[in-house]
Amino acid sequence: MSTNATSSIADLADSRVTDEELNELYAKLAAANMVPLWTQLGELMPDEPAPRARPHVWRWSELYPLAQRAGDLVPVGRGGERRAIALANPGLDGMPFATPTLWAAIQYLGPREVAPEHRHTQNAFRFVLEGEGVWTVVNSDPVAMRRGDLLLTPGWNFHGHQNVTNAPMAWLDGLDIPFVHANDTSFFEYGPDDLTDTSTPEKSRAERLWSHPGLQPVALLGSRPSSPLVAYRWEYTEAALVEQLALEAEGYPSTVEPGHAAVRFSNPTTGGDVLPTIRAEFHRLRPGTATAPHQEVGSSVWQVFTGRGTAVIGGVDHDVARGDVFVVPSWVRFEMRAEDELDLFRFTDAPIVEALYQYRQLTGQGGTA
Ligand code: 1HN
């Protein structure tokens, strides 16, 4: 039931007041850059989140060829910085924003191309659907990018990318650009024109220090707002999912729900999220299984890594396949059904929502609010 639907002017006004007097008041308020709350309460304070962002699916079969075409036509270099093409949610007034807080883009780097170093306030990551041969240089540490890897670029770290092969590579970029934009907190700075380290090591220095399960270097103890482990390798993600499902089959509690394994990428210095503003997870559903319907505050962007299934978003079925990216806006009911084995990468603004004590969720078949 609605408790604060905006009343009409006629309902609120004293009956001795004329329309002319009221209209004059409203005109004067507008001219003085003032807005009466009573005309807008319903929009500003809905009974429950009424997201402007819409559920939407971008198909890989459309994204990739367009990125490829941009690769043919548009050079990458100083000034434009990145050949990244944002996914613009149709509910967000043409802004290049996937959700009110999250940016998602496909980035394409052609053979031997280099995207120069720069740094910005915005936190970023890359998730790799396919390909290899690009090293992202984060804080002068070259980090190999390969299929299934999650690579971090925490805010204010210099970063650039180089493709050392004769094949192009494309990946998904996630950033908190819309959130930073809304808060007017953005800083940006160019780095040197040439990459600070063009070597191509198998393992980054960050991994050599931080990628040993349960072990932190004593010389570097202390919690950090962003994970110092800038690469989360597919082999570890895959092994964790395989073991969760194997343990479930052996009768041990290990999965989110039957047939649904999931891991959250975490900051080894805090156990919390990898970035201050972005949560990242990987989910695997066994063939033929479905998640319980779920509704939560905060927005999510998903990418299908392998398999096929149906994303049921706000009661509408969307068939999705490898590479497709879709948005689940805040408080919109969502469930996922797997046709064959379905692997999904997901990122969300949950760290923001939780830090501000605004997180709520509903799980299961129950009512709406
Ligand atoms: C950026 O620096 C990257 O480093 C990707 O790959 C997307 C979008 C806007 C501003 C900076 C990158 C970006 C970006």
Side-chain angles (χ1 to χ4, degrees), residues 80-86 103 105 107 115-116 118-120 122 124-126 136 153 159-161 171 173-175 177 188:
E81 300 296 286
R82 301 292 184 260
R83 193 186 292 107
I85 309 172
W103 163 292
Q107 181 166 166
H118 62 213
R119 63 178 173 178
H120 39 69
Q122 291 80 356
F125 71 79
R126 338 271 157 217
T136 179
T153 309
H159 58 284
H161 321 304
W171 59 85
D173 282 322
L175 294 94
I177 292 174
F188 178 94

Side-chain angles (χ1 to χ4, degrees), residues 285 308-313 316-320 326 334-339 342:
L285 293 177
R308 294 184 158 273
T310 305
V312 187
I313 318 173
V316 178
D317 286 10
H318 304 268
D319 289 339
V320 291
F326 59 92
F334 169 63
E335 69 181 88
M336 198 67 224
R337 299 187 189 137
E339 198 173 306
L342 186 62

Side-chain angles (χ1 to χ4, degrees), residues 1-2 9 11 25 46 60 103 118 148-149 158 165 173 184 198 207 220 234 249 270 289 291 294 308 316 327 335 361:
M1 191 179 70
S2 184
I9 296 169
D11 292 340
L25 170 65
W60 190 250
W103 163 292
H118 62 213
D149 293 346
F158 278 111
T165 75
D173 282 322
D184 289 334
T198 54
E207 289 167 273
L220 301 173
W234 173 241
T270 61
T289 61
T291 67
H294 192 73
R308 294 184 158 273
V316 178
V327 160
E335 69 181 88
Q361 64 171 339

Side-chain angles (χ1 to χ4, degrees), residues 179-323:
F179 181 70
V180 174
H181 184 261
N183 290 329
D184 289 334
T185 49
S186 180
F187 291 86
F188 178 94
E189 191 179 307
Y190 289 129
D193 284 343
D194 296 320
L195 291 182
T196 49
D197 190 334
T198 54
S199 66
T200 54
E202 191 65 16
K203 268 192 182 182
S204 60
R205 291 190 283 275
E207 289 167 273
R208 290 163 63 195
L209 272 173
W210 291 99
S211 190
H212 308 282
L215 302 172
Q216 297 189 42
V218 168
L220 301 173
L221 289 178
S223 66
R224 304 176 186 207
S226 297
S227 174
L229 175 60
V230 298
Y232 293 74
R233 299 296 176 195
W234 173 241
E235 67 178 291
Y236 300 122
T237 306
E238 160 82 6
L241 297 166
V242 166
E243 293 290 20
Q244 283 186 18
L245 289 171
L247 284 164
E248 177 184 64
E250 293 165 30
Y252 291 94
S254 55
T255 50
V256 180
E257 53 196 339
H260 177 187
V263 288
R264 181 169 299 169
F265 298 98
S266 74
N267 174 345
T269 74
T270 61
D273 288 298
V274 285
L275 296 168
T277 49
I278 298 177
R279 172 166 297 168
E281 293 177 347
F282 203 97
H283 293 250
R284 172 170 290 176
L285 293 177
R286 279 193 194 281
T289 61
T291 67
H294 192 73
Q295 201 176 330
E296 65 177 355
V297 174
S299 50
S300 294
V301 180
W302 295 76
Q303 185 176 36
V304 178
F305 186 61
T306 50
R308 294 184 158 273
T310 305
V312 187
I313 318 173
V316 178
D317 286 10
H318 304 268
D319 289 339
V320 291
R322 184 175 171 284

